[in-house]
Amino acid sequence: MAGKTLFDKIWESHVVREEPDGTTLLYIDRQLVHEVTSPQAFEGLKLAGRRPRRPAATLAVPDHNVPTTDRTLPIADHISAKQIRTLEENCRDFGITFFGMDDIRQGVVHVIGPEQGFTLPGTTIVCGDSHTSTHGAFGALAFGIGTSEVEHVLATQCLVQKRPKTMEVRVEGTLSDRCSAKDIILAIIGKIGTAGGTGYVIEYTGSAVRALSMEGRMTLCNMSIEGGARAGLVAPDEKTIAYVKGRPLTPPEAMFERAVQAWRSLKTDQDATYDAVVTLRAEEIAPQVSWGTSPGMVLGVDQKIPDPRTIVDVKTKSATERALTYMGLSPNTPITEIKIDKVFIGSCTNSRIEDLRLAASLAKGRQVAASVHAMVVPGSGLVKQQAEAEGLDRVFRDAGFEWREAGCSMCLAMNADVLQPGERCASTSNRNFEGRQGAGGRTHLVSPAMAVAAAIEGHFVDIRHWS
Amino acid sequence: MEPFTTLTGLVAPLDQINVDTDQIIPKQFLKTIKRTGLREGLFFDWRKKQDGSPDPEFFLNQSRYQSASVLLTRDNFGCGSSREHAPWALLDQGFRCIIAPSFADIFYNNCFQNGILPVVLKADEVLALMKQALGTEGYRLTVDLANQTVTTPEHTVYRFEIDPFRKDCLYRGLDSIGLTLEHERVITAYEARRKREAPWLFSDIPS
Ligand code: SF4
């Protein structure tokens, strides 16, 4: 019998029932809930007179709407405030654990899950949010769902699913100096395209992936969705176990060893095969910068903006033209000549302590360019606390960065942190769609190191050669 | 959920690839706690010109597409965020069927939860329909779920594939949670077994 992939093992241990046509009732171990995609799900439960099957398997937190300025003030936007209040009330009514805005544990949903030890290897995790793929870094099958499915999981602890295909993305070798997980994932998306992973679960393998910290693996898995895959996976190893150990919601002492034993078997068998395989060399990955309005429109910082006149495919040509118009860029401009107005360091892609440490180490003793407005938004209250204990906030402030409270902030600009029309932002977030960070705003996706360097120089620089 | 059987409807063509859910319904409309009333947010940023006035070029601003119920579009429609507000807004505008060469996964799922039929046709078939729809005022298509066909006014018939379980749920307008709850005993049995195998997954979250 052929071996099994990591995905096969997790999937098969969660099958509750399978129809002859392959339609599967899949058991869901954990659900994360935030304020934007849940009110209609709770309303649905109420209307149908249903109760959550396992309220203790769900954890809720407001993140998308929360202000990242002074938390002691009331939220200026009444509709945002109402949505957050609604979540709190629903959690109270249904007995779900809720981390409120005044709770130090509050933060971006995909940051707090791992931080609390809610995210565990071998589990199935869902959330009404496409970046749920982040949790795959622990060897969990984690994917985003819509609001009706949020309701479905609350009511039944199950989801109806078709088995996806598997894709191995193998990255071998050693990254260049100052390049990071963000550059790897952007390069992957540049290679496979934004629909390249559609219908697949990606498993990231290879020496460059193994070498990443848990934070780096989360960055990698986070953007699986930008490559079209609903989920990304990294097999758990000693780093995973060390990260999980001792967190508030990890298995109690008495069961921990048993859990670890089970986690050690979570890897793809030698003789297993994937439905598709993609390979990259880490040495060949330059610091990445997105130039367009789709995450697949990305290039190495040493490249030039594409010229639509040289593109043969009609669809790509017109999409490129449209993107360049929106982005206000001319063909053949070297990326290092693009000047920026704003810098955003944050989001579920890059707002963890390691990201902030790296960013601070580059910002130390330097000054943000006079023409640039830069801000740092930690991923959670605990990340913020840790950063402050290490003095990172001082480093950022001294360099001219704003230091904010935890939340999604300018990743999607649902709160007050918004780009003005035409403003150009170097952002460590994950989406560069038209208007994502504010109507008319122009987003360039980059790593934290690239964002800091851009803040200081006022334009993109190749950090490999930046002194 | 409203069942979907057959639909003969006016076609609105959106000739663009990679239309993401941030475009379908921008973030400022996600603050609602309701499923309805999202029509005003549909393609909000694309409906206006730079100066804020309505853009007459934008397809949904044109009177000829006002009563459209079939949206015809290009590859990777609905990519990006998982927001179900996207299908809610499309439904609120009157769309019951979306035809494209490919859809993003989560959006595709979300359609079925809301009585919208996403139809995948081949790229060249979509291209042919796009030409017709752009060039012919009042262009209508008939979509037949039972037979899995799309029929043009010229009687060209295109067949599409669809997962049988989803087809059945949509055709009969079934409550999918109710269906799952019929397997209550199987779920309970699974939980009991799993609790023995992996007891750490069943320890409660202390609040
Ligand atoms: S940080 Fe951005 S991508 Fe992540 S959950 Fe928040 S809004 Fe979504």
Side-chain angles (χ1 to χ4, degrees), chain A residues 27 77 148 162 412 435, chain B residues 23 27 31 84 163 190-191:
Chain A
Y27 194 77
D77 181 335
S148 298
K162 264 290 171 64
L412 93 165
Chain B
Q23 298 319 319
K27 56 207 155 242
K31 295 181 183 181
E84 203 164 313
D163 174 67
Y190 171 87
E191 283 176 335

Side-chain angles (χ1 to χ4, degrees), chain A residues 64 108 110 129 131 347-348 408 411-412 430 436:
Chain A
H64 284 60
V108 180
H110 309 306
D129 195 282
H131 291 102
S347 89
C348 58
C408 292
C411 175
L412 93 165
N430 44 48
R436 170 79 178 182

Side-chain angles (χ1 to χ4, degrees), chain B residues 105-180:
Chain B
D105 271 340
I106 306 178
F107 177 83
Y108 186 76
N109 277 338
N110 284 341
C111 285
F112 285 98
Q113 308 285 350
N114 292 283
I116 299 175
L117 171 62
V119 170
V120 178
L121 291 184
K122 296 193 187 76
D124 56 332
E125 295 169 345
V126 169
L127 203 65
L129 290 175
M130 190 67 78
K131 255 195 201 135
Q132 289 293 335
L134 286 167
T136 324
E137 188 113 5
Y139 191 74
R140 297 163 84 82
L141 287 172
T142 298
V143 184
D144 180 341
L145 179 56
N147 290 312
Q148 300 175 215
T149 54
V150 174
T151 308
T152 69
E154 306 82 35
H155 307 292
T156 309
V157 180
Y158 299 113
R159 231 191 106 72
F160 61 87
E161 290 306 318
I162 187 166
D163 174 67
F165 177 77
R166 281 183 163 140
K167 175 179 169 180
D168 188 47
C169 290
L170 187 58
Y171 192 79
R172 297 200 279 155
L174 297 177
D175 161 25
S176 63
I177 297 179
L179 281 183
T180 297

Side-chain angles (χ1 to χ4, degrees), chain B residues 2-174:
Chain B
E2 194 151 329
F4 188 109
T5 51
T6 55
L7 168 77
T8 297
L10 183 71
V11 179
L14 175 58
D15 191 8
Q16 213 168 299
I17 59 168
N18 292 328
V19 174
D20 61 78
T21 53
D22 274 77
Q23 298 319 319
I24 299 174
I25 181 104
K27 56 207 155 242
Q28 62 269 37
F29 299 95
L30 307 188
K31 295 181 183 181
T32 175
I33 54 171
K34 301 272 165 231
R35 287 170 200 251
T36 47
L38 284 160
R39 182 185 175 149
E40 60 158 325
L42 183 65
F43 297 118
F44 188 78
D45 293 334
W46 285 352
R47 281 179 186 250
K48 297 171 307 174
K49 289 199 287 196
Q50 287 264 309
D51 62 4
S53 63
D55 179 356
E57 296 286 308
F58 187 64
F59 77 130
L60 286 184
N61 288 341
Q62 297 170 13
S63 57
R64 64 184 272 203
Y65 299 127
Q66 281 322 301
S67 59
S69 56
V70 178
L71 180 66
L72 180 66
T73 184
R74 304 289 289 268
D75 313 68
N76 202 25
F77 187 78
C79 58
S81 143
S82 65
R83 57 188 73 167
E84 203 164 313
H85 308 69
W88 294 336
L90 289 162
L91 195 62
D92 215 32
Q93 170 73 33
F95 291 114
R96 286 296 311 278
C97 175
I98 307 171
I99 302 176
S102 63
F103 292 89
D105 271 340
I106 306 178
F107 177 83
Y108 186 76
N109 277 338
N110 284 341
C111 285
F112 285 98
Q113 308 285 350
N114 292 283
I116 299 175
L117 171 62
V119 170
V120 178
L121 291 184
K122 296 193 187 76
D124 56 332
E125 295 169 345
V126 169
L127 203 65
L129 290 175
M130 190 67 78
K131 255 195 201 135
Q132 289 293 335
L134 286 167
T136 324
E137 188 113 5
Y139 191 74
R140 297 163 84 82
L141 287 172
T142 298
V143 184
D144 180 341
L145 179 56
N147 290 312
Q148 300 175 215
T149 54
V150 174
T151 308
T152 69
E154 306 82 35
H155 307 292
T156 309
V157 180
Y158 299 113
R159 231 191 106 72
F160 61 87
E161 290 306 318
I162 187 166
D163 174 67
F165 177 77
R166 281 183 163 140
K167 175 179 169 180
D168 188 47
C169 290
L170 187 58
Y171 192 79
R172 297 200 279 155
L174 297 177

Side-chain angles (χ1 to χ4, degrees), chain A residues 34 63-64 108-111 129-132 134 222 226 344 346-349 351 407-414 429-431 436, chain B residues 81 83:
Chain A
H34 67 69
D63 56 0
H64 284 60
V108 180
V109 68
H110 309 306
V111 175
D129 195 282
S130 56
H131 291 102
T132 310
T134 312
N222 173 273
E226 272 66 48
F344 169 62
S347 89
C348 58
T349 316
S351 64
C408 292
S409 178
M410 209 194 265
C411 175
L412 93 165
M414 252 185 105
S429 57
N430 44 48
R431 286 194 175 131
R436 170 79 178 182
Chain B
S81 143
R83 57 188 73 167

Side-chain angles (χ1 to χ4, degrees), chain A residues 222-239:
Chain A
N222 173 273
M223 291 190 70
S224 302
I225 184 77
E226 272 66 48
R230 276 176 88 184
L233 288 167
V234 176
D237 57 13
E238 295 312 310
K239 283 184 200 169

Side-chain angles (χ1 to χ4, degrees), chain A residues 68 108 111 182 219 222-223 343-353 355-356 359 374-380 383 396 401-412 417 425-431 437 445-449 451-452:
Chain A
T68 55
V108 180
V111 175
K182 184 65 164 284
T219 302
N222 173 273
M223 291 190 70
V343 169
F344 169 62
I345 298 177
S347 89
C348 58
T349 316
N350 284 123
S351 64
R352 297 180 183 83
I353 190 69
D355 299 312
L356 302 191
M375 65 160 128
V376 183
V377 182
S380 73
V383 168
F396 285 124
F401 288 84
E402 273 185 31
W403 177 248
R404 297 293 193 92
E405 299 289 334
C408 292
S409 178
M410 209 194 265
C411 175
L412 93 165
D417 308 335
C425 180
S427 177
T428 66
S429 57
N430 44 48
R431 286 194 175 131
Q437 298 189 292
L445 304 174
V446 289
S447 70
V452 170

